[in-house]
């Protein structure tokens, strides 16, 4: 059996929105990151603007020149609707709204394939007022089926994220969806370490171990119990050495992406301090890990 793997670190472009995408990618390469969590948004590879194929090819060349890999993230706040954060969602009462979100995710799969990205991230959305759970889960299932078909054809996993306040909020909810869909091979999991601290019953390192068979993408930041606020490392309550040790022990080969979407004003500084923290903590975790 192989030993623990070195974590491959990335930083999310949703925390670098004050930088041009070329500059953001150059910054991350200069700092020693392995890759980037690329959020498709109006300021960074707009998925709805003309010439997406050509623009994606340019980004692919830039990533290759810098030695970076990517995950495609789809959490842009207002990319589909300038009036509603994350709207319309996969749970929207309007079938046309749900279809628009499905189309965006299929576009993201195509972009990911063109970039050689290792996964496409998504989430369920918040259950609309007046919608019962059975209806919400049925909408989610139906809206994801074409995306999963596209993911299977492209050979790019779809990694859905349990998000506090959403229909799919916990690891248990992920397994419920997986069962509803018949455990399709393209469906994987985005595990946000802060979200584990926020609301999962088990500590984050145990969540990592439990999620390992389905893990396709990881987001990481600090957080406090019961408070969904993405924090720089050291500002929350997470004990990170056991988390990084657990991630390395799983053999997970995707990116572990720093997720600080509300800190773009200090993005370059936080990108630097984050990779320094994670490298130091990973080294500590290796030293403290029990011998095999």
């Amino acid at each position: 059996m192989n030993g623990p793997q070195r974590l491959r670190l990335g930083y999310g472009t949703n925390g670098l929105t004050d930088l041009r995408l070329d500059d953001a990618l150059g910054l991350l390469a200069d700092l020693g990151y392995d890759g980037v969590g690329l959020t498709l948004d109006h300021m960074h590879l707009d998925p709805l603007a003309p010439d997406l194929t050509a623009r994606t090819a340019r980004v692919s060349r830039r990533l290759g020149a810098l030695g970076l890999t990517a995950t495609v993230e789809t959490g842009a706040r207002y990319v589909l609707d300038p009036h509603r954060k994350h709207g319309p969602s996969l749970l929207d009462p309007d079938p046309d709204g749900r279809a628009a979100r499905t189309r965006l995710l299929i576009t993201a799969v195509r972009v990911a394939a063109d970039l050689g990205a290792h996964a496409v991230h998504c989430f369920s959305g918040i259950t609309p007022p007046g919608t019962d759970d059975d209806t919400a889960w049925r909408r989610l299932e139906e809206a994801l089926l074409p995306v999963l078909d596209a993911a299977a054809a492209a050979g790019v996993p779809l990694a859905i994220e349990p998000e506090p306040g959403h229909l799919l909020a916990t690891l248990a909810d992920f397994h419920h969806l997986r069962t509803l869909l018949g455990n399709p091979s393209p469906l994987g999991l985005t595990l946000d370490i802060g979200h584990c601290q926020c609301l999962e019953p088990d500590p984050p390192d145990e969540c990592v171990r439990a999620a390992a068979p389905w893990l396709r993408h990881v987001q990481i930041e600090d957080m406090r119990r019961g408070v969904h606020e993405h924090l720089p490392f050291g500002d929350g309550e997470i004990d990170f050495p056991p988390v990084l040790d657990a991630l390395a022990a799983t053999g997970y080969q995707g990116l572990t992406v720093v997720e600080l979407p509300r800190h773009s004003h200090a993005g370059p500084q936080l990108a630097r301090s984050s990779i320094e923290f994670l490298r130091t903590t990973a080294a500590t975790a290796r030293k403290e890990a029990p011998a095999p």
Side-chain angles (χ1 to χ4, degrees), residues 118-166:
H118 70 82
V120 171
H121 150 276
C122 69
F123 46 69
S124 68
I126 297 169
T127 303
T131 302
D132 63 82
D133 281 353
D134 287 345
T135 298
W137 284 109
R138 185 173 65 253
R139 287 176 184 169
L140 180 60
E141 182 181 359
E142 292 172 353
L144 281 177
L145 285 173
V147 187
L148 290 166
D149 287 344
V156 179
L158 183 70
I160 194 162
E161 177 187 7
E163 182 80 23
H166 285 211

Side-chain angles (χ1 to χ4, degrees), residues 9-265:
L9 301 177
Y11 199 93
T13 59
N14 60 2
L16 296 168
T17 56
D18 291 297
L19 278 67
R20 299 176 186 89
L21 181 56
D22 273 2
D23 292 339
L25 297 179
L27 168 75
L28 298 181
D30 288 345
L31 290 174
Y33 281 95
D34 301 289
V36 58
L38 177 57
T39 296
L40 303 184
D41 208 346
H42 61 86
M43 78 295 287
H44 290 157
L45 196 55
D46 187 342
L48 304 182
D51 302 321
L52 178 59
T53 300
R55 290 184 289 114
T56 301
R58 287 196 294 272
V59 173
S60 180
R61 290 193 294 271
R62 177 71 167 155
L63 290 169
L66 293 171
L68 297 173
T69 58
T71 302
V72 171
E73 302 202 8
T74 61
R77 293 183 178 97
Y78 296 100
V79 69
L80 289 179
D81 187 334
H83 301 282
R84 291 189 295 161
K85 181 181 176 182
H86 298 317
S89 78
L90 296 170
L91 310 179
D92 201 280
D94 180 5
D96 291 339
R98 297 197 297 276
R101 179 62 62 173
T102 294
R103 286 194 300 272
L104 177 65
L105 294 180
I106 291 172
T107 296
V109 169
R110 292 171 181 157
V111 168
D114 289 345
L115 293 178
H118 70 82
V120 171
H121 150 276
C122 69
F123 46 69
S124 68
I126 297 169
T127 303
T131 302
D132 63 82
D133 281 353
D134 287 345
T135 298
W137 284 109
R138 185 173 65 253
R139 287 176 184 169
L140 180 60
E141 182 181 359
E142 292 172 353
L144 281 177
L145 285 173
V147 187
L148 290 166
D149 287 344
V156 179
L158 183 70
I160 194 162
E161 177 187 7
E163 182 80 23
H166 285 211
L167 174 70
L168 197 155
T170 65
L171 288 171
D173 293 332
F174 166 72
H175 291 300
H176 179 63
L177 175 66
R178 193 169 58 83
T179 300
L180 286 176
L181 290 167
N183 196 27
S185 59
L187 181 66
L189 175 71
T190 293
L191 189 70
D192 188 298
I193 301 302
H195 295 173
C196 296
Q197 176 71 21
C198 180
L199 52 68
E200 292 287 350
D202 295 325
D205 60 305
E206 292 186 19
C207 291
V208 169
R209 293 185 183 91
W214 302 278
L215 206 55
R216 302 295 178 265
H217 182 43
V218 174
Q219 297 172 347
I220 194 166
E221 68 286 313
D222 217 338
M223 202 169 288
R224 300 186 184 98
R225 183 70 178 170
V227 182
H228 184 203
E229 181 182 3
H230 291 235
L231 299 172
F233 298 111
D235 288 358
E237 300 170 343
I238 297 176
D239 182 15
F240 280 100
V243 173
L244 299 189
D245 181 56
L247 279 170
T250 67
Y252 168 68
Q253 287 293 286
L255 290 173
T256 298
V257 171
V258 179
E259 184 81 356
L260 292 172
R262 296 185 180 180
H263 291 78
S264 281
H265 62 283

